[in-house]
Amino acid sequence: MTSLVRHLTIDCTDAYRLASFWAQVLDGSLAEDDLPGDPEATVTSAGAALLFITVPEAKTVKNRVHLDLQPQGWGRDEEVERLLALGATMVADHRRADGTGWATLADIEGNEFCVERSAAERAG
Protein backbone atom coordinates (compact mmCIF):
# COMPACT_ATOMS: atom_id res chain seq x y z
CA MET A 1 0.00 0.00 0.00
CA THR A 2 1.09 3.58 -0.65
CA SER A 3 -0.25 7.07 -0.03
CA LEU A 4 -1.86 9.55 -2.37
CA VAL A 5 -1.52 13.32 -2.08
CA ARG A 6 -5.07 14.52 -1.46
CA HIS A 7 -4.38 18.27 -1.39
CA LEU A 8 -1.56 20.72 -1.29
CA THR A 9 -2.35 22.83 1.79
CA ILE A 10 -1.54 26.55 1.87
CA ASP A 11 -1.66 28.72 4.99
CA CYS A 12 -3.08 32.19 4.38
CA THR A 13 -4.81 35.15 5.99
CA ASP A 14 -8.12 34.81 4.06
CA ALA A 15 -8.87 31.28 2.86
CA TYR A 16 -11.92 32.13 0.74
CA ARG A 17 -10.30 35.12 -0.99
CA LEU A 18 -7.09 33.26 -1.83
CA ALA A 19 -8.99 30.13 -2.92
CA SER A 20 -11.13 32.31 -5.22
CA PHE A 21 -7.96 33.70 -6.84
CA TRP A 22 -6.53 30.20 -7.39
CA ALA A 23 -9.86 28.88 -8.71
CA GLN A 24 -9.57 31.50 -11.47
CA VAL A 25 -5.90 30.68 -12.10
CA LEU A 26 -6.56 26.94 -12.44
CA ASP A 27 -10.05 27.14 -14.00
CA GLY A 28 -11.15 25.23 -10.93
CA SER A 29 -14.02 25.49 -8.51
CA LEU A 30 -14.48 26.08 -4.82
CA ALA A 31 -16.37 23.53 -2.75
CA GLU A 32 -20.08 24.31 -2.61
CA ASP A 33 -19.99 24.86 1.15
CA ASP A 34 -17.05 27.32 1.06
CA LEU A 35 -18.17 30.84 1.95
CA PRO A 36 -16.45 34.17 2.67
CA GLY A 37 -15.08 34.16 6.21
CA ASP A 38 -14.73 30.37 6.40
CA PRO A 39 -11.44 29.22 7.97
CA GLU A 40 -10.87 26.71 5.14
CA ALA A 41 -11.59 26.65 1.42
CA THR A 42 -10.85 23.96 -1.17
CA VAL A 43 -10.15 24.43 -4.87
CA THR A 44 -10.54 21.42 -7.15
CA SER A 45 -9.13 21.55 -10.67
CA ALA A 46 -8.06 19.11 -13.36
CA GLY A 47 -4.44 19.19 -12.19
CA ALA A 48 -4.58 19.60 -8.43
CA ALA A 49 -6.64 20.04 -5.29
CA LEU A 50 -5.58 22.95 -3.10
CA LEU A 51 -6.70 23.45 0.49
CA PHE A 52 -6.41 26.97 1.93
CA ILE A 53 -6.40 27.38 5.70
CA THR A 54 -6.64 30.71 7.50
CA VAL A 55 -3.86 31.15 10.07
CA PRO A 56 -3.12 34.14 12.31
CA GLU A 57 0.49 34.55 11.11
CA ALA A 58 1.30 36.46 7.94
CA LYS A 59 3.77 35.11 5.38
CA THR A 60 7.27 36.25 6.33
CA VAL A 61 9.78 34.34 4.17
CA LYS A 62 10.16 32.73 0.77
CA ASN A 63 8.02 29.62 0.17
CA ARG A 64 9.80 26.31 0.69
CA VAL A 65 7.37 24.68 -1.75
CA HIS A 66 5.78 26.37 -4.75
CA LEU A 67 3.61 25.54 -7.75
CA ASP A 68 5.00 25.43 -11.30
CA LEU A 69 2.21 26.17 -13.78
CA GLN A 70 2.20 25.01 -17.41
CA PRO A 71 -0.25 26.98 -19.58
CA GLN A 72 -2.94 25.01 -21.40
CA GLY A 73 -4.11 26.31 -24.77
CA TRP A 74 -1.82 29.35 -25.02
CA GLY A 75 1.76 30.34 -24.35
CA ARG A 76 3.72 31.27 -21.25
CA ASP A 77 3.72 35.00 -21.96
CA GLU A 78 -0.05 35.12 -22.48
CA GLU A 79 -0.56 33.22 -19.24
CA VAL A 80 1.71 35.61 -17.35
CA GLU A 81 -0.35 38.54 -18.62
CA ARG A 82 -3.62 36.81 -17.65
CA LEU A 83 -2.36 36.12 -14.13
CA LEU A 84 -1.09 39.67 -13.67
CA ALA A 85 -4.57 40.89 -14.66
CA LEU A 86 -6.07 38.62 -11.95
CA GLY A 87 -3.91 40.35 -9.32
CA ALA A 88 -0.65 38.38 -9.30
CA THR A 89 2.60 40.35 -9.20
CA MET A 90 5.90 39.74 -10.98
CA VAL A 91 8.65 38.65 -8.57
CA ALA A 92 11.39 37.74 -11.05
CA ASP A 93 11.42 37.43 -14.82
CA HIS A 94 13.64 34.55 -15.96
CA ARG A 95 12.35 34.54 -19.56
CA ARG A 96 15.11 34.62 -22.17
CA ALA A 97 15.24 36.12 -25.64
CA ASP A 98 15.39 32.63 -27.19
CA GLY A 99 11.96 31.81 -25.67
CA THR A 100 13.20 29.59 -22.84
CA GLY A 101 12.91 30.35 -19.15
CA TRP A 102 10.07 31.07 -16.76
CA ALA A 103 8.47 33.85 -14.76
CA THR A 104 8.17 33.85 -10.97
CA LEU A 105 4.99 35.54 -9.76
CA ALA A 106 3.32 35.99 -6.38
CA ASP A 107 -0.37 35.45 -5.68
CA ILE A 108 -2.53 38.02 -3.90
CA GLU A 109 -1.04 37.03 -0.51
CA GLY A 110 2.58 36.97 -1.70
CA ASN A 111 3.01 33.21 -2.22
CA GLU A 112 5.47 32.60 -5.04
CA PHE A 113 4.74 30.39 -8.04
CA CYS A 114 6.29 29.96 -11.49
CA VAL A 115 4.85 30.02 -14.99
CA GLU A 116 6.76 27.75 -17.36
CA ARG A 117 6.45 27.28 -21.12
CA SER A 118 3.46 25.44 -22.55
CA ALA A 119 3.88 21.93 -23.94
CA ALA A 120 3.73 23.35 -27.49
CA GLU A 121 6.45 25.88 -26.67
CA ARG A 122 8.63 23.13 -25.20
CA ALA A 123 8.16 20.99 -28.32
CA GLY A 124 9.47 23.88 -30.34
Side-chain angles (χ1 to χ4, degrees), residues 34-101:
D34 287 335
L35 301 170
D38 284 352
E40 297 180 3
T42 304
V43 173
T44 304
S45 70
L50 304 177
L51 174 62
F52 298 88
I53 298 180
T54 300
V55 297
E57 310 84 25
K59 180 181 179 297
T60 58
V61 297
K62 182 182 180 298
N63 300 3
R64 295 205 38 158
V65 174
H66 69 270
L67 302 176
D68 287 336
L69 305 181
Q70 181 177 348
Q72 304 295 302
W74 51 79
R76 175 201 57 211
D77 295 343
E78 292 84 4
E79 181 67 349
V80 168
E81 292 306 315
R82 183 181 80 86
L83 299 174
L84 292 172
L86 290 176
T89 55
M90 182 69 72
V91 173
D93 195 339
H94 303 282
R95 295 176 285 183
R96 298 182 197 101
D98 67 359
T100 61

Side-chain angles (χ1 to χ4, degrees), residues 2-56:
T2 62
S3 294
L4 172 69
V5 175
R6 183 168 176 223
H7 319 103
L8 176 63
T9 301
I10 300 168
D11 291 351
C12 56
T13 60
D14 186 334
Y16 184 84
R17 181 173 171 257
L18 190 56
S20 296
F21 170 84
W22 279 100
Q24 290 180 24
V25 169
L26 300 174
D27 192 27
S29 60
L30 277 86
E32 289 184 18
D33 60 349
D34 287 335
L35 301 170
D38 284 352
E40 297 180 3
T42 304
V43 173
T44 304
S45 70
L50 304 177
L51 174 62
F52 298 88
I53 298 180
T54 300
V55 297

